[in-house]
Amino acid sequence: MIDLDALNAAFHLLSGSWQPWLVVVPGLLIGLFVHAVPGLTTSMALAICLPLIPYMDFLQALIFMTAMYAGALFGVAIPAILLNVPGSASAVGTTFDGFPMAQQGRHNEALGLALGASCVGQAIAYGLLLLLAGPIGRFAIRLGPPEMLIVAIWGLTLIARLRGRHLARGLLAGCFGLLLGTVGLSVRGAARGTMGLDLLLDGIPTVPAIVGLFAASELFNLVGREYIVADMTRRAVDARRILAGMRDVFRYPATLLRGGLLGACIGILPGGHAIANLLSYSEARRAAKDPEAFGTGDPRGIIAAESANASSEGGSMATLLALGIPTGGATAVMLVAFGMHDITGGPAFMRDHADVVYAVILSSLVQVVLLGLIGFGFIFVASFIVKVRLRALVPVVLALALVGSFALTQTMAGPITLAVFAVIGWLMQRFDYPVAAVVVGLLLGRMTEGALLRSYQLSGGEFGYALGRPIALVLLGLLVATFVLPMIRQRSGALTAGTTRHGRKP
Amino acid sequence: MNRRTLLATGLAAPFVSRVSPARAEGWPRRPLTILVPFDVGGSVDRLARGFAQYMPKYLGQPVTVVDRAGAGGMIGTNWLLQQPADGHTVMLTPATPFIPVNILVTNARYTLDSFTFVNAQWTDYTVLLVPKDRPWRTAAELIDAIRANPGKISTGVDFGSVGHITTIALLDSLGLKPDAIRIVTFDGSGAMRTALAGGQVDFNIGQGEGAAAVKDFIRPLAVFLDHRLPEVDAPPINEVLAAYKTTVPLINGSVRSFVYPAAFKAKHPEDYASFVAAYRATLADPGFQKFLHDNQMAGDWVGEARTTEIIRANFEALKRYKDLLKS
């Protein structure tokens, strides 16, 4: 699969000059900083830096952009863990166990875990790319609406797992989220639930809504407390414990590997990178012997979410590099950089510029190591947040979140959404409804509906259509198996237990 | 994923340069704001940033770019109409299809008469495409296949786009109802093109520029123009349709133009003329022409009258078929 001549040429490109490397550290830092403000996104940062691109050579530009990407991928985890404020949809899964860990005074370990998992996840993704960029790309465009639908439904099953104490309330919250997800112009041009407001035609802005829901439900709860970490003795910033967290990642190799591979697969779907973290979290929880530990500050939760999030971007890079087709906002901006250098993406790019493709992949593998170093310094500084009194921290975070939400929407729609969802989040928390289930519904509602509609349109309503789509059938089989097998195991487990008991009876 | 704008001032800062001393009187009295009603990084946004760099020399004032995306350009367009009609905010947008679609499909509160369309500077064309692995070599073969297999052949559309309306118009001209094919509605043209490249749908009528990104996966069968294009190996659609004794209205793809609220020209005709003069001088600027060339953009001058005519013709064609869109 590897074109060795091109790989050799790539080594020469990278080692022949120090110039391509010049942009790596600034790229990583910009990426990390951008996510210090919840609401700023990678694609925004990339777009802002576009005017710089014509002044770099093509390889340098690509390396700069992937470095920014790499930094931002991990950057979102920091506010997610320390403040329970996910800066984008891709950090939602990280909050589930990250924030509980931070509250218990294990913030050093949690951040270390996230950084470690992010680096390994990216390494897995770029390793796969190095071996299989072409085939992955060609496979990706074989995935159509029916396959998307099955992945989306798979994501929705997470709602049942995030139910909290009451199953009915969890499902109700999930349905509420799904309904919210359908607000706006449908893909068939019908305006729904917009209450006549033009601002809602594009749907509810998800990031302000998520920040509102999470920030309110957790941060308001902390109002009576002095600090995020209640126990004073644990309120320390400790480099050794961050390092220990990074090391701990390797204590759960199965979770790490599963997250990395799953993320890479889901990342090749359009819009997939936003939900990879949730699917991976869900799978890790399902596979665990003690699923109840998830959500209470379990390291595996962070590892699953972060490794998948990190590797999902590798998946979308595959379709960009191999086919010139972007599957997400950030890769779309990168394609613009191609245009600026008069280079057309697509299979011809992979064929004619294989050395550049390999050079980008190789440099990304080096970036992973640098991200580990720079990210370590970055979280060391960021951790001092735990030493800030909550009465100062909460208003600052909420103010920053409001500003960020305005930047996202460029209208008052962002801040208003945030405020409305803050109230909803607080009410839900107060009456013991799981906020996370609403978020999953909101994130997946639109995707599920679109995929369902398109599957129906494409098949003309004929069920036989699915038979002609082997990938969809395999995915469907996997989906059913993940549900039925645990049930069978449970049943047979109960039976054996029953027989033994009988056997013991004299 | 959202690529909304961020801190327009920060974005524009690198471009606020090379400003000659502002004229003491006359227009513009303040910096000019170019409003882009779409996301950062899109084609119109990039064009606007080119103007921000080259126009200040001829305007005597700095130029900043503001992106206000949403609702198919409607959020930004509404905002434009709320600004004072003194000409210091101008919109740069694909005036068709978006303004007619806002009016006809999403019930916008404005009409075509609300605007002055300065100049159709950069126009995209519409093209009929099939994935390479499909058997049809000509548009006639595809049409015959649709007729022979009613309700079996699928197409991908971006709802309400020119491609969508042209698809309906083509079927209508052949005496076919929309249910003669399977119309699959995608979230945006990017997702639709990916599906086309992957062979998820059987054909697509869409925009030529966008199709360039996936050109290795597709085969053009016809262009919706009255002439051939040197870069596209396909005949004009109405030549194909001659065999079927029918024609289809040719609706332009993106017609990118500066757009002012009509009130500006009505109230301050001299100020409007000042803008047009600075704009034309920018179009003639060698640096700007190089910028356009490097970015594969066009810098045509057709004038306000012809631009308005194009947009009205498109509007009428869209109006004729809009009721068929939702069926």
Side-chain angles (χ1 to χ4, degrees):
Chain A
M1 292 289 178
I2 297 188
D3 177 348
L4 286 178
D5 287 339
L7 190 65
N8 200 16
F11 274 117
H12 279 286
L13 271 180
L14 290 174
S15 57
S17 159
W18 47 272
Q19 275 183 335
W21 298 105
L22 206 61
V23 292
V24 171
V25 173
L28 285 171
L29 281 175
I30 292 173
L32 283 167
F33 270 109
V34 158
H35 281 285
V37 179
L40 300 192
T41 63
T42 326
S43 35
M44 275 181 189
L46 285 171
I48 291 166
C49 292
L50 270 183
L52 299 173
I53 299 303
Y55 300 101
M56 303 178 186
D57 68 43
F58 184 57
L59 177 63
Q60 207 177 11
L62 280 183
I63 291 178
F64 178 61
M65 292 176 123
T66 49
M68 217 146 89
Y69 219 8
L73 271 178
F74 167 65
V76 269
I78 299 171
I81 289 172
L82 291 177
L83 303 165
N84 202 42
V85 180
S88 79
S90 52
V92 170
T94 311
T95 62
F96 295 163
D97 282 291
F99 190 60
M101 277 186 83
Q103 280 181 293
Q104 294 154 13
R106 292 192 287 155
H107 48 275
N108 295 301
E109 290 87 342
L111 287 167
L113 281 166
L115 180 59
S118 195
C119 289
V120 176
Q122 292 190 36
I124 291 176
Y126 283 107
L128 280 176
L129 266 186
L130 190 64
L131 297 174
L132 299 167
I136 292 176
R138 281 193 294 280
F139 176 71
I141 53 169
R142 290 280 140 207
L143 302 175
E147 289 80 19
M148 297 281 296
L149 177 63
I150 293 166
V151 172
I153 292 174
W154 184 22
L156 285 181
T157 61
L158 180 58
I159 289 175
R161 300 199 176 110
L162 291 174
R163 60 192 178 146
R165 257 178 295 163
H166 313 278
L167 178 61
R169 289 185 192 185
L171 294 180
L172 193 61
C175 291
F176 177 57
L178 280 175
L179 271 181
L180 291 176
T182 63
V183 168
L185 215 51
S186 84
V187 282
R188 296 219 47 210
R192 298 168 305 184
T194 59
M195 298 176 281
L197 297 172
D198 291 350
L199 287 173
L200 283 176
L201 279 178
D202 285 338
I204 292 170
T206 44
V207 172
I210 294 171
V211 173
L213 282 170
F214 276 105
S217 63
E218 290 298 335
L219 291 183
F220 287 1
N221 266 355
L222 300 178
V223 163
R225 294 231 311 248
E226 282 272 298
Y227 294 92
I228 293 176
V229 183
D231 182 353
M232 199 181 73
T233 55
R234 313 211 51 152
R235 215 178 290 144
V237 177
D238 188 339
R240 262 170 311 170
R241 281 161 60 195
I242 298 177
L243 269 181
M246 288 173 74
R247 245 194 343 260
D248 271 0
V249 165
F250 298 101
R251 284 178 48 201
Y252 306 98
T255 312
L256 193 61
L257 205 62
R258 185 171 48 230
L261 293 175
L262 200 62
C265 294
I266 294 168
I268 62 180
L269 295 168
H273 56 98
I275 59 165
N277 69 100
L278 289 173
L279 289 176
S280 172
Y281 184 88
S282 173
E283 274 313 289
R285 194 187 149 129
R286 187 190 58 76
K289 287 195 196 75
D290 50 344
E292 16 351 290
F294 279 74
T296 59
D298 192 306
R300 288 169 299 177
I302 298 181
I303 295 173
E306 276 302 310
S307 58
N309 179 37
S311 68
S312 70
E313 303 285 8
S316 57
M317 283 296 287
T319 54
L320 177 78
L321 292 175
L323 306 171
I325 296 174
T327 56
T331 38
V333 181
M334 289 169 107
L335 200 59
V336 174
F338 278 55
M340 286 178 165
H341 283 275
D342 254 343
I343 288 173
T344 325
F349 173 66
M350 187 79 180
R351 202 170 50 231
D352 305 339
H353 302 275
D355 51 343
V356 177
V357 172
Y358 281 125
V360 169
I361 295 171
L362 288 175
S363 75
S364 297
L365 285 169
V366 178
Q367 277 166 29
V368 168
V369 180
L370 283 172
L371 174 65
L373 293 173
I374 293 174
F376 175 74
F378 199 83
I379 53 184
F380 182 76
V381 178
S383 307
F384 280 92
I385 285 178
V386 296
K387 295 193 179 271
V388 180
R389 275 174 195 275
L390 279 173
R391 79 168 76 114
L393 188 63
V394 171
V396 169
V397 169
L398 286 180
L400 273 178
L402 278 172
V403 171
S405 65
F406 184 81
L408 259 178
T409 56
Q410 284 283 299
T411 59
M412 284 307 286
I416 292 171
T417 308
L418 198 151
V420 168
F421 277 86
V423 174
I424 296 175
W426 182 79
L427 283 173
M428 290 185 64
Q429 184 78 10
R430 169 83 181 66
F431 294 102
D432 212 4
Y433 284 81
V435 171
V438 180
V439 172
V440 174
L442 180 66
L443 283 177
L444 288 171
R446 213 175 166 75
M447 182 176 164
T448 315
E449 190 209 359
L452 177 63
L453 176 67
R454 282 188 280 276
S455 301
Y456 173 75
Q457 289 169 329
L458 198 56
S459 62
E462 295 165 15
F463 280 104
Y465 179 80
L467 296 176
R469 304 203 61 120
I471 304 173
L473 290 177
V474 170
L475 287 174
L476 189 63
L478 285 175
L479 178 65
V480 172
T482 53
F483 271 82
V484 176
L485 284 182
M487 276 191 240
I488 295 175
R489 210 180 300 150
Q490 220 171 5
R491 180 72 55 89
S492 64
L495 276 181
T496 4
T499 355
T500 344
R501 224 173 301 139
H502 270 286
R504 273 193 197 147
K505 260 185 178 172
Chain B
M1 166 156 154
N2 281 319
R3 286 186 274 128
R4 298 282 157 83
T5 73
L6 158 84
L7 309 172
T9 46
L11 277 171
F15 301 109
V16 186
S17 57
R18 284 195 277 156
V19 178
S20 53
R23 281 172 283 172
E25 51 194 81
W27 189 90
R29 291 173 294 280
R30 292 190 279 119
L32 180 76
T33 300
I34 299 181
L35 162 72
V36 173
F38 293 95
D39 287 323
V40 173
S43 63
V44 194
D45 175 68
R46 284 181 288 132
L47 178 59
R49 289 177 200 286
F51 278 112
Q53 196 175 346
Y54 293 98
M55 215 180 199
K57 195 157 80 179
Y58 304 102
L59 215 51
Q61 288 280 358
V63 174
T64 55
V65 179
V66 171
D67 299 81
R68 270 174 196 254
M74 205 158 86
I75 304 287
T77 310
N78 277 332
W79 186 77
L80 173 80
L81 293 172
Q82 287 163 11
Q83 304 309 304
D86 58 7
H88 290 102
T89 306
V90 64
M91 180 163 71
L92 186 64
T93 185
T96 72
F98 291 102
I99 292 177
V101 167
N102 294 162
I103 296 169
L104 293 168
V105 183
T106 33
N107 304 320
R109 286 184 290 268
Y110 39 80
T111 67
L112 286 190
D113 295 325
S114 312
F115 305 101
T116 306
F117 301 102
V118 182
N119 171 41
Q121 182 193 326
W122 175 23
T123 302
D124 198 358
Y125 62 96
T126 306
V127 58
L128 169 62
L129 305 161
V130 294
K132 267 204 175 137
D133 62 357
R134 295 303 195 271
W136 313 297
R137 315 298 304 187
T138 65
E141 285 178 25
L142 174 63
I143 291 169
D144 295 341
I146 292 172
R147 284 194 154 162
N149 308 286
K152 294 287 180 206
I153 290 180
S154 62
T155 186
V157 298
D158 179 13
F159 190 90
S161 66
V162 169
H164 187 189
I165 292 159
T166 303
T167 306
I168 302 291
L170 178 64
L171 291 173
D172 191 57
S173 71
L174 292 162
L176 296 169
K177 295 260 181 310
D179 63 5
I181 55 172
R182 296 175 179 176
I183 297 178
V184 186
T185 47
F186 285 89
D187 268 324
S189 54
M192 184 222 33
R193 270 195 302 275
T194 308
L196 180 73
Q200 305 294 335
V201 292
D202 295 319
F203 77 98
N204 157 257
I205 296 177
Q207 300 308 305
E209 284 160 18
V214 293
K215 65 178 173 2
D216 289 344
F217 301 94
I218 52 174
R219 181 164 57 234
L221 297 186
V223 290
F224 288 74
L225 291 169
D226 51 14
H227 55 278
R228 270 184 179 263
L229 282 179
E231 68 269 30
V232 183
D233 178 26
I237 186 73
N238 283 331
E239 275 179 23
V240 177
L241 292 179
Y244 300 86
K245 301 194 172 43
T246 185
T247 57
V248 67
L250 304 174
I251 309 175
N252 290 90
S254 297
V255 176
R256 290 131 181 140
S257 168
F258 275 116
V259 176
Y260 263 121
F264 173 52
K265 192 187 168 195
K267 284 188 199 159
H268 311 282
E270 289 119 50
D271 294 355
Y272 176 73
S274 303
F275 172 79
V276 173
Y279 170 42
R280 293 199 69 173
T282 311
L283 281 181
D285 183 288
F288 186 65
Q289 284 178 348
K290 182 176 183 308
F291 166 85
L292 291 175
H293 176 263
D294 289 350
N295 283 279
Q296 294 152 358
M297 294 167 174
D300 307 338
W301 174 260
V302 300
E304 186 191 324
R306 174 75 189 122
T307 304
T308 311
E309 204 178 297
I310 293 171
I311 290 167
R312 290 206 175 271
N314 279 303
F315 181 84
E316 291 307 319
L318 293 168
K319 195 169 157 190
R320 199 170 131 200
Y321 295 105
K322 79 156 187 162
D323 292 333
L324 285 173
L325 285 186
K326 297 197 178 184
S327 52

